[in-house]
Amino acid sequence: MAKAVLSFVCQNCGAAYGRWQGKCEACGEWNTLAEEDPSGAASGPVSLRAKRKGRTFALQSLTGENKEAPRLASAMAELDRVTGGGFVRGSVLLLGGDPGIGKSTLLIQAASMMAKAKHRVVYISGEEAVAQVRLRAERLGLAAAPVQLAAETSVEDIIATLSEGTSPRLVIIDSIQTMWTDTVESAPGTVTQVRASAQALIRFAKRSGAALILVGHVTKDGQIAGPRVVEHMVDAVLSFEGEGSQQFRILRAVKNRFGPTDEIGVFEMTGLGLREVHNPSELFLSERDLGTPGTAVFAGVEGTRPVLVELQALVAPTSLGTPRRAVVGWDPSRLSMVLAVLEAHCGVKLSAHDVYLNVAGGLRIQEPAADLAAAAALVSSLTNAPLPAEAVYFGEVSLSGAVRPVPLMPARLKEAAKLGFARAVLPEMPRGDGAADAGLALHSVGSLVSLVSEIAAKGSKRRSAAAGGG
Ligand code: TYD
Ligand code: MG
């Protein structure tokens, strides 16, 4: 039997090369190439496999009887919201997230809930010993749940064990990077191993009808590490995110064949595990300075994900010949453009003012959709008129001062509603765009000048009230 030809496979994107090189040309990463058998093929005799003749199968039409995909609800509402109503039988879900974010905690909680509901649930840990998983379950008060537990990493052994007895309803593999299969020669954790292990486990899930959850590690730039390939093989990809310093965690669907991808689930990490947060606005709004002039909440989109973020502006009379313009987290040339439009079309004179704009939380915004929120924050600071705390802003401002529609408006509205906002100031939307059912009061503005006069009117009312009172 001929020895398999080895080649060098990028551990980040899976591209294969004939010789080693420092940089992967496909994804631009450095030092990611490792020697592997790129085919990932079984090492059985080639002569036998080549002789096998294809089997014929019946072709089907698009119409026909289809059973509704049966779902297993987890009894965790925030999790079920993101999966689209529960785990689909025979489907595979990849859960990604930074180390220590709470993936194992989330899954042991979900597993316990489902085991208590009399489903056969198997939790395979490749990273922690059985005692560690038990200890955590005990601390969370879940030790009584009949979850079947093992610390294993051999895919063949796992599949053989799972195939015994009644087939499990839910199988959790924590994590896919620790699994290895005999069928390929590469080391565990390499792209080839991860791909082959995932393939074998996915085949088992489809055959047995069990819902399978794979945990995947995430690299520093937010990709599910190495095996991007796994993302294409699974039915759904969820990512679990959060700031290390903060208690709340957001679960998002990045891909979902059986449900929506614009839903988020919000959790809080407590001493007793993850608590579902049904009304996250309390958490997010508690961080904000309510009623301060110069702040506006922008309903943005990061990639395909909606993100709400606070824009803070300070407009103050300058003491210099040339006024300062400083911006953190946004494009300075877009700020200049918004300032120019405010001057030219809205009668807002800023040439004698310093202008500072900051995106809270260290986020960097790329999109022009932030124009309207930035303009609202600037005018609010200038006129000393606080914006309504329950409103979000988004919209692109053109050089003529018109407010233009932006992509993914329904997703922004949905996120704002989910986070407890009641009003949205936005561009005029085409009818039937799915925005009406977001449950927000919509305030469409066609041009920047109308928004500016509204904010300024409130500011002057406040000032005259203050003057009358004092
Ligand atoms: P874990 O689920 O092990 O993260 P992952 O599997 O994503 O790596 O979570 C570990 C972190 O969560 C750890 O820093 C401690 C914290 N934690 C709590 O604060 N409370 C708890 O009840 C548990 C179980 C963990
Ligand atoms: Mg873990």
Side-chain angles (χ1 to χ4, degrees):
M1 180 197 138
K3 195 177 179 315
V5 185
L6 285 178
S7 75
F8 294 86
V9 180
C10 171
Q11 302 301 306
N12 185 52
C13 69
Y17 300 87
R19 57 181 177 76
W20 190 86
Q21 55 195 61
K23 182 183 181 184
C24 172
E25 279 150 24
C27 66
E29 287 292 312
W30 287 88
N31 265 334
T32 54
L33 264 56
E35 196 170 18
E36 282 187 29
D37 171 5
S39 63
S43 41
V46 178
S47 52
L48 278 187
R49 278 186 288 130
K51 277 206 192 111
R52 183 180 170 274
K53 240 185 113 196
R55 168 182 67 87
T56 58
F57 51 85
L59 298 165
Q60 316 224 343
S61 69
L62 278 174
T63 56
E65 285 286 294
N66 258 343
K67 283 184 286 167
E68 166 73 2
R71 287 182 183 270
L72 295 167
S74 70
M76 294 178 85
E78 292 294 301
L79 176 59
D80 289 342
R81 188 200 309 277
V82 180
T83 53
F87 306 116
V88 176
R89 296 197 56 192
S91 79
V92 185
L93 191 152
L94 178 66
L95 175 66
D98 291 329
I101 204 75
K103 301 181 293 299
S104 305
T105 308
L106 177 70
L107 291 178
I108 198 74
Q109 286 184 237
S112 304
M113 294 291 219
M114 295 185 58
K116 277 185 192 154
K118 304 268 184 297
H119 298 301
R120 183 181 173 203
V121 179
V122 181
Y123 187 104
I124 309 278
S125 176
E127 296 185 345
E128 292 167 288
V130 169
Q132 276 176 293
V133 182
R134 272 200 196 130
L135 209 67
R136 175 187 292 141
E138 226 161 81
R139 222 156 49 74
L140 303 179
L142 301 170
V147 176
Q148 300 181 325
L149 194 62
E152 282 296 334
T153 52
S154 159
V155 169
E156 280 73 27
D157 295 354
I158 291 170
I159 290 176
T161 309
L162 294 179
S163 306
E164 272 185 357
T166 55
S167 65
R169 302 297 297 274
L170 177 68
V171 178
I172 294 167
I173 303 286
D174 187 0
S175 65
I176 186 62
Q177 277 101 343
T178 56
M179 296 294 138
W180 61 278
T181 158
D182 303 334
T183 55
V184 294
E185 283 173 13
S186 317
T190 55
V191 170
T192 313
Q193 266 295 356
V194 167
R195 183 170 25 195
S197 301
Q199 252 159 10
L201 289 164
I202 289 168
R203 227 176 298 127
F204 167 79
K206 303 280 174 213
R207 195 173 66 232
S208 67
L212 173 68
I213 302 180
L214 306 173
V215 173
H217 294 297
V218 160
T219 54
K220 57 188 182 316
D221 52 358
Q223 307 285 12
I224 295 185
R228 297 285 331 261
V229 271
V230 179
E231 289 186 30
H232 305 297
M233 293 157 57
V234 299
D235 299 301
V237 179
L238 304 189
S239 89
F240 205 34
E241 304 163 1
E243 284 287 318
S245 57
Q246 279 164 344
Q247 293 306 304
F248 42 88
R249 306 275 183 267
I250 294 186
L251 185 68
R252 295 175 193 277
V254 179
K255 157 182 171 177
N256 196 349
R257 281 189 190 141
F258 302 111
T261 51
D262 51 359
E263 293 286 4
I264 64 168
V266 184
F267 298 86
E268 184 186 7
M269 182 60 94
T270 70
L272 289 173
L274 289 160
R275 187 180 71 83
E276 295 181 63
V277 179
H278 298 295
N279 187 4
S281 58
E282 297 159 18
L283 275 180
F284 288 98
L285 293 179
S286 66
E287 306 261 310
R288 296 175 51 214
D289 303 329
L290 290 179
T292 319
T295 66
V297 176
F298 166 51
V301 169
E302 287 286 308
T304 57
R305 306 162 174 180
V307 177
L308 295 199
V309 59
E310 185 180 279
L311 300 190
Q312 305 162 341
L314 178 64
V315 179
T318 185
S319 51
L320 304 169
T322 320
R324 274 184 66 89
R325 266 87 181 101
V327 54
V328 178
W330 199 41
D331 184 359
S333 55
R334 286 223 71 93
L335 174 66
S336 309
M337 197 208 79
V338 168
L339 292 176
V341 173
L342 283 171
E343 289 236 23
H345 297 291
C346 310
V348 179
K349 294 275 168 276
L350 291 161
S351 47
H353 288 81
D354 289 335
V355 172
Y356 302 91
L357 189 80
N358 179 38
V359 179
L363 199 73
R364 285 202 62 80
I365 301 177
Q366 311 286 352
E367 24 164 26
D371 292 352
L372 193 66
L378 291 166
V379 176
S380 160
S381 175
L382 178 73
T383 59
N384 198 26
L387 299 170
E390 78 286 2
V392 296
Y393 295 78
F394 59 85
E396 182 175 346
V397 173
S398 74
L399 285 176
S400 66
V403 177
R404 295 258 174 81
V406 293
L408 296 171
M409 297 211 277
R412 295 172 203 266
L413 293 171
K414 216 164 174 180
E415 179 95 347
K418 180 79 203 299
L419 295 183
F421 287 86
R423 256 159 65 85
V425 180
L426 75 173
E428 277 154 4
M429 280 173 97
R431 291 240 165 261
D433 208 354
D437 40 272
L440 292 174
L442 303 183
H443 177 36
S444 310
V445 288
S447 69
L448 192 55
V449 67
S450 61
L451 179 67
V452 168
S453 55
E454 264 168 53
I455 299 172
K458 261 192 220 131
S460 58
K461 217 181 282 166
R462 222 168 89 103
R463 275 192 301 276
S464 61

